[in-house]
Amino acid sequence: MEGEAPWIETTSDYLLEENMTFCADIFLGSNEKGIGLRVEDVVCVTKDGAENLTNYPRKLFEIDR
């Protein structure tokens, strides 16, 4: 398993405080087939909400097989 505790989930009950950072990720793929793609953003908690610190293009590229 990747990452470190604590994990932010819908059932989490701990308080996020200003200047804390965490990774928000999504996995697209199949654990059974052992293939996939994970995309992660680093997020910082601010006094007004959150700021995404990750800066990369968000464009989908199709690759012909």
Side-chain angles (χ1 to χ4, degrees):
M1 174 176 280
E2 69 286 329
E4 298 176 4
W7 291 273
I8 299 173
E9 300 175 343
T10 56
T11 57
S12 299
D13 61 359
Y14 51 86
L15 180 63
L16 295 177
E17 298 179 17
E18 189 175 354
N19 295 319
M20 285 181 165
T21 58
F22 59 92
C23 225
D25 69 57
I26 185 169
F27 174 75
L28 305 169
S30 169
N31 287 328
E32 293 80 25
K33 293 182 180 180
I35 60 171
L37 168 72
R38 180 176 306 280
V39 178
E40 297 181 343
D41 283 3
V42 177
V43 179
C44 181
V45 179
T46 68
K47 67 178 182 175
D48 298 318
E51 176 185 359
N52 188 333
L53 302 178
T54 304
N55 182 17
Y56 59 81
R58 301 191 183 266
K59 182 177 179 181
L60 181 63
F61 294 91
E62 288 190 43
I63 301 173
D64 292 329
R65 293 172 143 198

